[in-house]
C-alpha cells in the first residue's frame, strides 16, 4: 500500500521562474499566483502547463459512532445530502458549477440503498463503519478495499483527461473521525483536535470530547501507523479519499485540498508518501478547530480564509478560479519584450 | 459635488437571512459568502439578486511627480501598459477574461497621444498632472472634469445593464499620490502611508519618503477637505475613479474595490458620501504598505490576501468569482424543505 509518488523534477524551475518574471508586471507582484504557476509547471514538467477537465470528487460514508451523539444532525442526513448532490441542489453543486468544474459523487459506505443511480458511483464498502467506541471502525480488508476503490476512480478520471482534482466529503460524524486521526498522526492533544463540526453547542462539544477520549484507548496500535489509525477510526469516505489522493499524485494531477476531513485523509496519504504534498494546493482555512492543527503540522497555508466550515469540497471549488488564473497568466500574459514595455530602470 | 448616495434599505434583511439559513447547510457554514449574499440582496433590494454584465473599469493617468523619481519604472510605462491593455496582454486582461468580466480602459490623462482607438475611452483631462512638488497637481476645474467623466462612463455601463463593477488603475507614480491622499484623509503618519510601489529598493523608498515629505507642506488646505486634497495630490485616474465610484453606488451597483490606489479614490468618495461603503466589497489585501492603513480606517476586511501588489484591478477580478458564488448559492441551492433533508435535532 506504500505508494511510489515521486517528487516533481525541478529541472525546469529556473526557466519557469524566468518566464514568470518576464511577464509585464513588477517581479513578484502577482504574489501567490506566481508560486502556483511555478508549482503547476513543475508538476506537469513543462513551461506551458494546462488545466484540463477540472473535477470535484465527493466521497460519502456513514459512521457507526454517529449514533452515539457526536453530531448536531441525525445520521439520515448523509444519504439525504447524497440525494441532494444527485439533484444538484447542494452547496458543492452550485459552487462547482460556478467554477466550471465537473462533480463526481461516490457512495463509499452510506447506510442507505440508493440502487443504481445516474451520477452516483457505487463503491460502497459496507453500509457505514462500525462504532470505534466499541472496536475498530473497519477491518484491514475493508480499509484496503476503500483505498483501492479511491485509486480506481481517480485513474478513470485521469484517463478521461482530468489533471486537477478537488476533494470533498459528506458523512454525519466525520469530523469526530477526523479529530481522532489528526490527534494520532500529528501528536497534538485530542482536545485541540476536536471542534463543533456542523455546529455543536458548548454542551455538545463537551460530550463529543468526552466520547472521543473514551474511544482513544481502544486503539492499541502505534499512533504513527497511518494505516492502522485509518482502519480503527476512519470513515470509508476518508479511506477512499486517501487512496484517491495517492492515485491523483501518481498521475501528476494538481490536488485541491479542502477542509478538516479532507486534510485528515491527506495526513494518512502523506504519512505513506510525503512527496504527495508537492502536488497539493490547500484551498481554504476552515473554521473547524482541528484544521489549524493539521495545517501547522503540514506547514501549509491555504489560499482562502472565508470563515467557512461546510465541507463537501466547497473550499476547493472556490479556490479553483485562483489556480486557473495562475495558469492563465503564465499562458496568456505578454512579456516586456513582446509587448514593447520598458522594464525597470 | 456632494452626492446623494443612499444607504440601502434594510427592510428585507430578515427575509434574506431566513432564505440563507434555509439552505441545505449548517447555519453560517458558508462564512463570508453568506454576508456577501445578504449585502447583495440589500443593495438590489430583492430576495433574488442577480449579477449582470460584470465589468472592470481601468483608469490610466500620468503624474507630474513621476519624473522626480518616485517610481522604479520610467513614465513611458504608463502609455506602454495602456497599449498592452488594448492588445489584451496585461495581467488584468487575463484575469478579467478568466473571471468572465468585460474590461473598459480609460485614458484619464496619460502623457501620450493614442488617437482614436477601439477599446479605449478618451477622457483625457490633460497629458498628465502637474508636479505636486511645485504646486497643485490639477486645478479645481480639471478635478471636477475628471470626476464628471468618471460618473458619465459608469452611467453608460449601468445603462448597458452592468450591476457589478471592479475598479483598477495604471499610472507610474500613482502609489506616491495615493500615499499623500491617504495621509491627509486618514491622519496616519506619512511614513506608514508610503511603500515600495512597483518595487523600490531601500534607497528608493527612502528617497520617495523624503520627496513626499517635501511635497506635503505645499498643500495649505484642510487635510479633511477631500476635494482639495484630491486636486492637490491626485492623479486624474484617481479623481476619475472617485467619480465613477459615486455614480456606481448611486446606480446601486456592487463595487469591487481593488488595492492601494483604488482605495485612495474610495477614501475621497467616502468622505463625500459615507453611504458608499455599503456598496463596497474589498477584494484583496495588498502588500503595499499603506493599504493596511486605509483598510483599518474604513473598518474593511478584504476577501483575499494573496501577497499581490500589481494594481490594474487584478484583485477585483480575482475576487469576482467569490461574489458570483455568493449570488449563485442564494439563487440555486436547495432548502432543507425542498430537498427533504432533515434539519438539526
Amino acid at each position: 500500500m506504500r505508494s511510489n509518488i515521486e517528487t516533481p523534477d525541478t529541472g525546469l524551475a529556473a526557466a519557469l521562474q524566468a518566464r514568470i518574471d518576464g511577464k509585464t508586471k513588477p517581479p513578484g507582484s502577482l504574489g501567490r499566483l506566481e508560486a502556483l504557476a511555478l508549482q503547476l509547471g513543475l508538476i506537469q514538467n513543462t513551461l506551458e502547463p494546462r488545466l484540463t477537465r477540472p473535477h470535484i470528487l465527493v466521497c460519502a460514508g456513514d459512521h457507526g459512532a454517529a449514533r452515539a451523539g457526536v453530531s448536531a444532525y441525525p445520521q439520515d442526513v448523509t444519504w439525504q445530502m447524497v440525494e441532494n448532490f444527485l439533484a444538484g441542489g447542494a452547496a458543492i453543486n452550485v459552487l462547482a458549477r460556478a467554477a466550471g468544474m465537473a462533480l463526481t459523487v461516490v457512495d463509499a459506505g452510506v447506510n442507505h440503498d440508493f440502487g443504481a443511480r445516474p451520477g452516483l458511483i457505487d463503491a460502497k464498502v459496507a453500509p457505514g463503519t462500525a462504532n470505534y467506541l466499541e472496536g475498530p471502525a473497519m477491518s484491514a480488508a475493508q480499509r484496503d478495499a476503500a483505498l483501492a476503490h479511491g485509486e480506481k476512480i481517480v485513474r478513470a478520471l485521469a484517463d478521461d483527461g482530468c489533471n486537477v482534482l478537488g476533494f470533498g466529503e459528506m458523512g454525519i460524524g466525520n469530523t469526530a473521525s477526523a479529530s481522532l486521526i489528526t490527534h494520532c498522526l500529528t501528536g497534538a492533544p485530542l482536545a485541540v483536535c476536536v471542534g463543533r463540526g456542523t455546529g455543536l453547542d458548548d454542551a455538545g462539544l463537551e460530550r463529543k470530547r468526552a466520547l472521543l477520549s473514551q474511544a482513544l484507548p481502544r486503539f492499541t496500535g502505534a499512533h504513527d501507523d497511518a494505516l492502522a489509525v485509518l482502519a480503527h477510526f476512519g470513515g470509508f469516505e476518508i479511506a477512499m479519499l486517501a487512496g484517491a489522493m495517492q492515485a491523483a499524485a501518481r498521475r501528476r494531477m494538481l490536488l485541491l485540498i479542502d477542509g478538516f476531513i479532507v486534510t485528515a485523509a491527506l495526513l494518512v496519504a502523506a504519512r505513506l508518501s510525503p512527496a504527495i504534498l508537492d502536488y497539493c494546493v490547500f484551498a481554504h482555512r476552515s473554521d473547524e478547530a482541528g484544521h489549524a492543527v493539521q495545517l501547522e503540522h503540514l506547514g501549509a497555508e491555504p489560499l482562502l480564509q472565508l470563515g467557512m466550515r461546510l465541507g463537501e469540497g466547497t473550499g476547493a471549488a472556490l479556490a479553483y478560479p485562483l489556480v486557473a488564473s495562475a495558469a492563465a497568466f503564465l499562458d496568456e500574459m505578454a512579456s516586456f519584450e513582446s509587448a514593447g514595455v520598458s522594464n525597470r530602470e
Side-chain angles (χ1 to χ4, degrees), chain A:
Chain A
M1 201 53 65
R2 192 163 284 270
S3 70
N4 56 341
I5 297 170
E6 290 175 10
T7 300
D9 190 292
T10 55
L12 287 179
L16 276 162
Q17 193 60 54
R19 187 151 188 251
I20 291 166
D21 290 341
K23 300 294 186 183
T24 47
K25 57 171 186 54
S29 63
L30 278 174
R32 296 191 66 183
L33 259 50
E34 301 193 13
L36 285 171
L38 179 63
Q39 180 184 11
L40 191 60
L42 293 179
I43 289 173
Q44 297 188 7
N45 199 31
T46 171
L47 297 177
E48 299 182 339
R50 296 281 185 281
L51 296 170
T52 55
R53 298 207 169 220
H55 253 83
I56 298 277
L57 175 68
V58 177
C59 295
D62 270 313
H63 292 252
R67 285 186 216 100
V70 293
S71 174
Y73 287 81
Q75 190 182 64
D76 278 346
V77 168
T78 304
W79 72 259
Q80 291 168 349
M81 283 302 297
V82 171
E83 290 286 357
N84 199 12
F85 297 152
L86 297 177
I92 189 56
N93 298 99
V94 176
L95 300 186
R97 273 199 299 270
M101 305 180 85
L103 178 64
T104 293
V105 182
V106 181
D107 174 5
V110 180
N111 185 19
H112 183 76
D113 184 5
F114 295 100
R117 294 287 292 280
L120 180 66
I121 295 179
D122 178 2
K124 196 194 295 280
V125 179
T129 55
N131 183 351
Y132 49 65
L133 284 157
E134 297 161 2
M138 64 186 85
S139 67
Q142 287 179 318
R143 175 201 62 207
D144 293 345
L147 288 163
H149 264 306
E151 297 188 29
K152 185 179 158 194
I153 290 163
V154 168
R155 283 198 302 268
L157 289 173
D159 289 344
D160 277 351
C162 166
N163 72 6
V164 52
L165 185 56
F167 298 88
E169 44 56 48
M170 178 68 218
I172 294 300
N174 67 6
T175 61
S177 173
S179 295
L180 289 159
I181 292 170
T182 300
H183 163 69
C184 290
L185 295 183
T186 69
L190 180 61
V192 303
C193 298
V194 180
R196 296 178 189 275
T198 47
L200 291 172
D201 58 15
D202 287 350
L205 177 60
E206 195 72 17
R207 185 173 55 173
K208 184 175 175 184
R209 286 206 173 113
L211 285 168
L212 300 192
S213 297
Q214 289 166 35
L216 198 54
R218 294 186 175 275
F219 174 59
T220 55
H223 277 201
D224 65 350
D225 181 342
L227 289 174
V229 169
L230 178 62
H232 197 94
F233 295 123
F236 293 126
E237 80 281 34
I238 295 175
M240 207 163 286
L241 286 168
M245 289 172 183
Q246 292 179 71
R250 236 179 274 120
R251 295 295 289 263
R252 310 185 75 81
M253 291 182 177
L254 188 74
L255 282 61
L256 298 175
I257 305 300
D258 194 42
F260 182 55
I261 293 106
V262 167
T263 308
L266 180 64
L267 286 177
V268 173
R271 185 61 61 107
L272 301 174
S273 312
I276 198 172
L277 296 173
D278 293 328
Y279 297 83
C280 293
V281 168
F282 291 83
H284 177 264
R285 181 179 285 275
S286 170
D287 259 19
E288 176 69 9
H291 197 219
V293 172
Q294 299 172 327
L295 293 170
E296 193 184 345
H297 180 78
L298 295 169
E301 187 54 62
L303 290 171
L304 295 169
Q305 182 168 8
L306 296 169
M308 305 202 304
R309 47 180 172 77
L310 177 53
E312 299 180 6
T314 48
L318 288 173
Y320 175 69
L322 298 176
V323 177
S325 293
F329 100 74
L330 186 63
D331 184 34
E332 300 172 26
M333 264 183 81
S335 66
F336 281 101
E337 197 176 10
S338 73
V341 175
S342 309
N343 212 327
R344 306 171 65 155
E345 291 177 318

